[in-house]
Amino acid sequence: GIAGDFVPATESCEQSNYSASAQAQLPSFSDTYLDRQWALDRLNLAHVWQVTLGSPDILVAVLDTGIDRNHEDLAGKVVAEVNFSNSPVVDDLHGHGTHIAGIIAANANNSIGIAGAAPGCLLMNVKVADDKGRCDAAAIAEGIVWSVDRGARVLNISLCVSEPSKELEEAIKYAWSRGAVIVTAAGNHGNSVPQYPAYYPECIAVTATREDDSRAPLANYGDWVDVAAPGYQIYSTLPNNEYGYNTGTSQATAYVTGIAVLLYCIAIDGDGDGRVNDEVRVALESSCQQIDGSGMRNGLVDSGKAAARLECEANL
């Protein structure tokens, strides 16, 4: 990680008691498939949702295969679109990007579909992968700069390339310097070989877990991976008003992105550097639940504990 930017919390917040959040119940939203979303409970979203569901002021750039902006459960979500891929259209003809978008921001309590982790936020459809899911570093880099220059606060990059790229690395550094939280997939190769941009220190690299907290099949691991989140049999939106299950570090990344949005809404600039992406990242990574044999530095993301830490710091 980029420890130089991080200011440790005071001891009182390190030890802040958040027993109340541990007992919080998920709201009884009316979404049809809420019972299929096992990850919401595992990520302890009940406590944070009592504080915020996200804000339309927080723009999330989804760098992916596109988003079906007309999906019933993503109505009104996509507020900007661009296409850096080789596809002739900005639409999602693949399905991956729409699945990711739903995990992050599907409308909640609307009597259909699912609930996104941060249903209050808005999305930018930044198509950097073609209709077969292929992408290159240059397209990702272009998408990053475009997003940040148009106000993206959180970037979801649920894709990766196997070779380092100076252009991509510079784009990542630029996004971080502009105050963006960059959440990236560790990849699904079942090994510890670094993937990019996840390997770059400014990124939060995410691996995937199953319901029993074991690492999901093929999820990458290693000391360059920062956190884990549920990424096995994840139910979300698919193009043409469909829904379905997918597995991988892409899905885990989307959950961490949603949580980053919620934390962004309550974080304060504790070190006076004019941005809160560093505070969000510290809270996220320092509050993880320890899980066995998962192969990453910090553990399983715990949104309730992370939010409690930021609330404590805000009240000091």
Side-chain angles (χ1 to χ4, degrees):
I2 19 185
D5 286 329
F6 295 167
V7 176
T10 64
E11 193 173 357
S12 60
C13 285
E14 291 281 5
Q15 299 170 349
S16 67
N17 181 340
Y18 93 119
S19 57
S21 67
Q23 292 150 16
Q25 297 293 309
L26 284 170
S28 52
F29 285 160
S30 61
D31 307 86
T32 316
Y33 303 124
L34 202 66
D35 60 342
R36 300 185 186 185
Q37 295 185 264
W38 65 269
L40 300 178
D41 204 41
R42 193 67 197 90
L43 288 163
N44 197 14
L45 276 161
H47 171 77
V48 202
W49 279 355
Q50 291 172 353
V51 181
T52 180
L53 291 172
S55 162
D57 296 332
I58 307 291
L59 288 177
V60 179
V62 178
L63 285 77
D64 217 290
T65 61
I67 299 172
D68 180 0
R69 62 191 172 283
N70 298 315
H71 193 288
E72 62 181 12
D73 218 3
L74 294 171
K77 286 292 171 187
V78 177
V79 295
E81 294 188 300
V82 68
N83 181 11
F84 292 111
S85 77
N86 294 324
S87 168
V89 294
V90 73
D91 308 289
D92 183 15
L93 304 183
H94 181 281
H96 189 273
T98 300
H99 203 261
I100 297 309
I103 294 169
I104 298 168
N107 290 304
N109 204 26
N110 61 342
S111 302
I112 55 166
I114 61 164
C121 73
L122 295 174
L123 302 175
M124 303 169 106
N125 171 18
V126 186
K127 184 166 177 172
V128 297
D130 69 14
D131 301 326
K132 293 185 176 173
R134 298 170 303 199
C135 65
D136 60 38
I140 302 171
E142 278 189 288
I144 291 168
V145 173
W146 185 92
S147 306
V148 174
D149 283 349
R150 283 156 185 79
R153 287 281 162 261
V154 185
L155 274 55
N156 187 99
I157 309 178
S158 283
L159 34 80
C160 45
V161 293
S162 55
E163 297 295 326
S165 153
K166 194 69 184 164
E167 185 180 5
L168 183 54
E169 184 177 11
E170 290 302 321
I172 292 290
K173 287 185 191 312
Y174 175 71
W176 177 261
S177 74
R178 293 291 300 271
V181 178
I182 312 147
V183 191
T184 53
N188 303 314
H189 304 94
N191 61 38
S192 60
V193 178
Q195 297 293 305
Y196 301 89
Y199 187 74
Y200 295 127
E202 295 83 5
C203 294
I204 300 173
V206 184
T207 192
T209 51
R210 294 192 262 209
E211 284 191 69
D212 64 359
D213 296 341
S214 65
R215 195 156 31 86
L218 299 182
N220 284 358
Y221 53 89
D223 57 8
W224 56 277
V225 179
D226 296 299
V227 298
Y232 184 73
Q233 292 292 327
I234 302 300
Y235 201 72
S236 185
T237 47
L238 290 169
N240 305 312
N241 291 335
E242 306 260 324
Y243 300 85
Y245 291 98
N246 273 316
T247 292
T249 59
S250 290
Q251 283 66 36
T253 299
Y255 272 121
V256 176
T257 291
I259 290 166
V261 169
L262 302 177
L263 299 180
Y264 213 108
C265 291
I266 55 179
I268 57 161
D269 178 15
D271 56 7
D273 65 355
R275 46 196 176 94
V276 297
N277 55 345
D278 44 352
E279 284 82 5
V280 167
R281 182 171 183 176
V282 169
L284 191 77
E285 294 186 355
S286 66
S287 59
C288 290
Q289 306 170 39
Q290 294 309 306
I291 52 178
D292 292 331
S294 44
M296 99 291 306
R297 290 191 303 136
N298 293 296
L300 184 74
V301 167
D302 184 328
S303 68
K305 206 168 176 183
R309 175 175 173 143
L310 286 174
E311 289 171 313
C312 173
E313 290 169 7
N315 291 326
L316 283 177

